[in-house]
Amino acid sequence: EMAHRGLAYALVYQNAFKEALREIQLALSVAPDNHENHFTRGLIFYQAGQLKEAQVATQEAIRINPNSPQYYRLMALIYMDQQQRVPAEMAVMKGLALDPLDESLMTLHAHLLMHSKQIGEAQAILDAAMQRNPENPYTRTANGWLLLYRNRPAEAVNEFREALRLDPTLRRAKKG
C-alpha cells in the first residue's frame, strides 16, 4: 500500500495524473480507511485541476484524521481556487489551530488577509513566516505580490527572483 502511494506521489510530480490515480486507487483497495491515501488522492485531483473530486477526497482524509494541518492547507487551496473565501479562511484557521507556525498556512492566511485589504496584518504574518524560514519560495512569492500591492515594485521583483531561485518552477512567482 505504501509503495502504491509513494509511486502515486512520484507520478504527480511528473504530471502523470491518470497513472497516479490508478496507483492511489490500488493503495485505497488495500487500505480504504487510510487518511494518507485519501489525502494523496485529493492532492492528485487538485494538481490535475479536478477541484470537486479533490474536495471530496480531502474531506474524507479530514474525516478520518482531523489532526493534520496539511489536510486543511489543501482544503484551503481548493476553496481558494473555487473562489470560496469564507470556507478557505475556515480551513486555514483550523490548520493554524493545529500548528500555528506552519509556514504554508501562515502564507495562505496572509494571502486571504491581503485580499480582504488587511495589508498590515498580512505583512506581519509574512514577515514572521520569512523569519522562521527565509528559504520558503511560496512565502517569498506571496510577499512579492503583497509588495506589488503596496506599490513597491523594486522590492517585489527581488522577492520574485529569490522565490524563483529557490524553486524555478513556481508559476505564481513567474507571473510576478
Side-chain angles (χ1 to χ4, degrees), residues 27 36 43 64 68 70 84 108 111-112 120 157 164 173:
E36 293 174 339
L43 181 64
I64 297 168
S68 177
Q70 70 177 349
Q84 295 182 36
L108 289 174
H111 178 81
L112 290 165
V157 166
L164 289 169

Side-chain angles (χ1 to χ4, degrees), residues 69-137:
Q70 70 177 349
Y71 298 175
Y72 293 101
R73 184 181 329 125
L74 180 56
M75 207 64 237
L77 288 168
I78 293 165
Y79 286 133
M80 289 168 72
D81 284 0
Q82 293 172 331
Q83 306 299 313
Q84 295 182 36
R85 170 171 259 98
V86 173
E89 289 172 355
M90 290 173 50
V92 165
M93 298 316 287
K94 285 179 181 179
L96 285 171
L98 294 169
D99 183 358
L101 300 177
D102 183 295
E103 295 156 17
S104 296
L105 284 164
M106 292 171 75
T107 299
L108 289 174
H109 187 206
H111 178 81
L112 290 165
L113 288 170
M114 184 178 83
H115 286 283
S116 298
K117 310 286 190 241
Q118 298 176 48
I119 304 306
E121 193 174 341
Q123 188 68 66
I125 290 169
L126 286 176
D127 288 346
M130 286 189 301
Q131 193 169 41
R132 283 187 43 76
N133 181 6
E135 300 289 306
N136 185 322

